[in-house]
Amino acid sequence: TPEDLENFDATKAATIGPIDFTTIGENYQETFDIVFSDNSITPVDDDTKVTITIAGLSSTQVDVSNFRAVNGSTAITTRLVTTTKTVTVVGPSDVIEDINGEYLYLEYDLSTLSANASGNVVISATLKSDQYKTIWGYENYDLQITVTRNS
């Protein structure tokens, strides 16, 4: 009720587990366990689960040819072998209808490579955009890179 919200103590909160946006497509529904931060909070009907439904989204496939490496190391030199990747972009319909690959990039984290990585390696990348803040990629994408150890 509105009165309950006015008297709500934010230090006594309930949380749900993380939501991985790479799993959210046009229609999304998942049930999470509720974790209460304080034992004084009890659910009214002893239900400790919540279902999250996200609707009203659209998706489209776009070719991306912009790539960014992060967390590089002076111990290795890398060369991206993948030149274009088709990705599924999800977000609000009004944004998706205007989207193209120009403002999108795939970011891959070189710190995830094993310490002895060398030669042809597959690395996971995440879809990102500096322009569009309300979109995401519907999965992670594998890129092929070549890793050379520097002496």
Side-chain angles (χ1 to χ4, degrees), residues 82-98:
T82 303
T83 57
T84 302
K85 196 74 172 176
T86 301
V87 300
T88 301
V89 185
V90 181
S93 299
D94 61 326
V95 174
I96 293 298
E97 63 190 31
D98 294 332

Side-chain angles (χ1 to χ4, degrees), residues 98-120:
D98 294 332
I99 204 129
N100 61 52
E102 181 180 357
Y103 298 108
L104 304 175
Y105 62 93
L106 286 166
E107 181 179 276
Y108 56 102
D109 186 349
L110 295 173
S111 71
T112 64
L113 294 172
S114 67
N116 57 355
S118 183
N120 291 328

Side-chain angles (χ1 to χ4, degrees), residues 35-47:
V35 178
F36 296 100
S37 64
D38 186 302
N39 288 336
S40 67
I41 300 173
T42 56
V44 174
D45 57 6
D46 290 330
D47 189 2

Side-chain angles (χ1 to χ4, degrees), residues 1-131:
T1 66
E3 294 81 23
D4 291 332
L5 289 176
E6 288 177 14
N7 297 321
F8 182 73
D9 180 354
T11 63
K12 297 178 181 180
T15 58
I16 60 170
I19 297 175
D20 180 359
F21 270 73
T22 64
T23 65
I24 298 176
E26 289 185 35
N27 298 300
Y28 174 82
Q29 185 173 54
E30 189 166 343
T31 300
F32 294 91
D33 290 323
I34 302 170
V35 178
F36 296 100
S37 64
D38 186 302
N39 288 336
S40 67
I41 300 173
T42 56
V44 174
D45 57 6
D46 290 330
D47 189 2
T48 59
K49 295 190 179 297
V50 63
T51 300
I52 304 292
T53 302
I54 300 175
L57 300 173
S58 293
S59 66
T60 191
Q61 289 195 319
V62 176
D63 289 333
V64 173
S65 55
N66 299 314
F67 304 90
R68 295 183 190 172
V70 295
N71 299 319
S73 165
T74 57
I76 61 171
T77 300
T78 61
R79 181 180 64 82
L80 185 65
V81 176
T82 303
T83 57
T84 302
K85 196 74 172 176
T86 301
V87 300
T88 301
V89 185
V90 181
S93 299
D94 61 326
V95 174
I96 293 298
E97 63 190 31
D98 294 332
I99 204 129
N100 61 52
E102 181 180 357
Y103 298 108
L104 304 175
Y105 62 93
L106 286 166
E107 181 179 276
Y108 56 102
D109 186 349
L110 295 173
S111 71
T112 64
L113 294 172
S114 67
N116 57 355
S118 183
N120 291 328
V121 177
V122 174
I123 192 166
S124 183
T126 303
L127 182 70
K128 300 215 172 182
S129 175
D130 294 329
Q131 177 79 16

